Amino acid sequence: MSYYAYPLLIKQILETPHQQASGRKIIYRGEVTLDYPGFIARVGQLGAALRRLGVRHGDVVAVMDWDSHRYLECFFAIPMLGATLMKVNVRLAPEQIAYTLDHAGASTLLIHPDFVPLVTALRPRLPTLRNFVFLDEDGGARGALPYAGDYEEWLATEDAGFDFPEFDEHTRATTFYTTGTTGMPKAVAFSHRDIVLHSMTILATMAMSSVNAGVNRDDVYLPLTPMFHAHAWGWPYVATLLGMTQIYPGRFDLPRIIRLFRTYQPTYSHCVPTILHMLLSAPEAADLDLSRWKVGIGGSALSRGLCGAAMDRGVDVFTGWGMSESCPLLTFAVIKSEMLADVADDDAARRARELDIRTTGGLAAPLVQLRVVDAAMNDLPRDGRSAGELVARAPYLTAGYVGNEEASAALWRGGWMHTGDIGTIDLEGYVHILDRAKDVIKTGGEWVSSIGIEDILSQHPDVGEVAVIGVTDPKWGERPMALVVARAGRKADPVALRDFVTAQADRGIISKFAIPDQVVLVEAIEKTSVGKLDKKLLRQKYAPG
């Protein structure tokens, strides 16, 4: 039969910019510029080089690099061979990095010079790791690892027309490790089918709104989320599919990011709230024109204070919600135009309405099914008030944790993916995340959302960053504690901040149980390896006694 049963493989993503003859560029740090034909040729050369090295279907090839054009080439060439791309979280502790490389069974490692000393020290604990490829940059030290070659020299000797094979679309394409709250990180894996469907779902989601968040081929993409974390939220695949101009900044360096903004004027990024706060607060970025910039926020809740500060700069800011295990997109805070119709002529009311919507979890993406359930998996009403765990189904969620059947069974209990997030869904379909199940504060029999208190404090003009945790209390079980970093140039007063929250409780915005007993001024708030508030560490650090 001549029928072609089109498999959903990552290599098909490259067909669109090729077929449409994209004239855009892929830029690294403002120092390397590739056109799409050149990029696709390099993907072919990398595939040929890895095959010559002995990489075969099912092998695991790991990458330790900063966000770069090289990493983007690995996003394609490694899985297109039928091998698995392992994205090493370079911000984990050495013990965890050694564990993840060994657990994944990585046989080949492409390594940036910044990580050579670490891997050299860990090498005796990595028996499966046989091949090393040096990602030469800025004359970095090679160390004494037994390299099979240097990346650029390697590619220069290979045929750009390498013919990538076809295989089952359910073949594992990628794996990375979640930063769990207990024990070692867990391996999350995704197939070619998952990656392609996730990419198409992002595109469909961006087409849902005529008000905000729209993306098209004329956008200029600058990721501010590490490529090792959940495929940089899937956007490198989407940007390549659209043939967009892409700018990769290398290791995060705020002055360099600002220079890239001035030179290339990116129009779409994604990041955690901490990075957005850093950019908006940087004195050297005060004159940046951000009026064409769209930025998706995830990883932690977007507070109304930070959202308002971004909107004041003209930024089209909005949240996305998901988890590593969901590839990660589940929802995006796109605005229904009809929700602004009754406030169209009132600027203050429109701003308040937009703040409400942009800081929600958002609407379920196309093909995503969401439920709010109680502990027995019974559905709760979609009334914006009934809170329970959010569980999900979608065609691209991970099937489970590699080599961990017990955790996989818990993740998929009852045939739905358990997100561990407590929230509601309102009558318009918007998800409202109240807290992570492990971060909800139980005080005097009342459940208090740490996110809700953070959102209120973020709106005070003296507050730059805030984290709220529950600390043990002999009378009430737990009580809220607020940790506050003062806004640059301001002097925060703990008593005034507590009074600010109390005023909101007096208005009925939050429960009186949510008024923090303590507001503590700190120089910085600890973050996880991917920039989220590290509330586990904060609870340990500020535990009574």
Side-chain angles (χ1 to χ4, degrees), residues 253-337:
D253 175 75
L254 188 57
R256 179 189 296 139
I257 296 294
I258 293 171
R259 288 197 300 272
L260 293 174
F261 264 88
R262 293 191 189 283
T263 303
Y264 300 104
Q265 300 179 333
T267 60
Y268 184 77
S269 300
H270 46 79
C271 61
V272 296
T274 302
I275 299 299
L276 177 62
H277 176 263
M278 289 173 62
L279 184 61
L280 295 178
S281 303
E284 59 269 40
D287 63 339
L288 277 183
D289 179 5
L290 301 177
S291 61
R292 297 178 61 242
W293 191 38
K294 295 163 281 192
V295 57
I297 301 297
S300 298
L302 173 63
S303 68
R304 289 173 64 92
L306 183 57
C307 183
M311 290 173 65
D312 288 342
R313 296 283 295 274
V315 180
D316 180 2
V317 62
F318 47 91
T319 58
W321 171 68
M323 54 197 293
S324 296
E325 293 84 346
S326 63
C327 201
L329 177 67
L330 291 173
T331 69
F332 245 127
V334 294
I335 300 172
K336 297 180 182 180
S337 58

Side-chain angles (χ1 to χ4, degrees), residues 190-264:
F190 294 93
S191 70
H192 284 252
R193 173 184 168 86
D194 295 334
I195 299 295
V196 174
L197 288 175
H198 183 261
S199 301
M200 300 306 296
T201 298
I202 291 177
L203 286 177
T205 303
M206 297 297 98
M208 288 170 59
S209 173
S210 59
V211 177
N212 73 318
V215 172
N216 61 66
R217 63 186 304 163
D218 291 332
D219 276 301
V220 178
Y221 170 60
L222 171 63
L224 296 175
T225 304
M227 295 178 78
F228 63 71
H229 179 55
H231 318 108
W233 301 357
W235 275 94
Y237 288 118
V238 175
T240 304
L241 179 65
L242 287 178
M244 291 164 56
T245 295
Q246 304 183 55
I247 305 160
Y248 289 89
R251 182 174 186 168
F252 184 84
D253 175 75
L254 188 57
R256 179 189 296 139
I257 296 294
I258 293 171
R259 288 197 300 272
L260 293 174
F261 264 88
R262 293 191 189 283
T263 303
Y264 300 104

Side-chain angles (χ1 to χ4, degrees), residues 486-521:
R487 188 183 300 275
R490 310 280 298 208
K491 186 177 180 180
D493 174 28
V495 175
L497 295 179
R498 189 175 186 277
D499 290 345
F500 186 72
V501 180
T502 300
Q504 301 305 306
D506 290 342
R507 293 175 54 202
I509 303 300
I510 58 171
S511 163
K512 290 186 180 296
F513 281 98
I515 301 170
D517 285 352
Q518 303 175 70
V519 177
V520 180
L521 300 182

Side-chain angles (χ1 to χ4, degrees), residues 178 186-189 323 325 398-405 407-409 411:
T178 65
K186 298 189 288 290
V188 178
M323 54 197 293
E325 293 84 346
T398 187
Y401 302 110
V402 179
N404 192 334
E405 293 184 5
S408 299
L411 178 69

Side-chain angles (χ1 to χ4, degrees), residues 34-47:
L34 303 170
D35 59 18
Y36 270 82
F39 166 72
I40 294 171
R42 285 171 60 89
V43 170
Q45 290 171 315
L46 177 56

Side-chain angles (χ1 to χ4, degrees), residues 38-69:
F39 166 72
I40 294 171
R42 285 171 60 89
V43 170
Q45 290 171 315
L46 177 56
L50 290 169
R51 179 69 84 220
R52 188 181 299 278
L53 187 61
V55 173
R56 295 292 182 264
H57 190 99
D59 288 349
V60 177
V61 179
V63 177
M64 296 179 74
D65 193 12
W66 305 114
D67 292 3
S68 70
H69 63 302

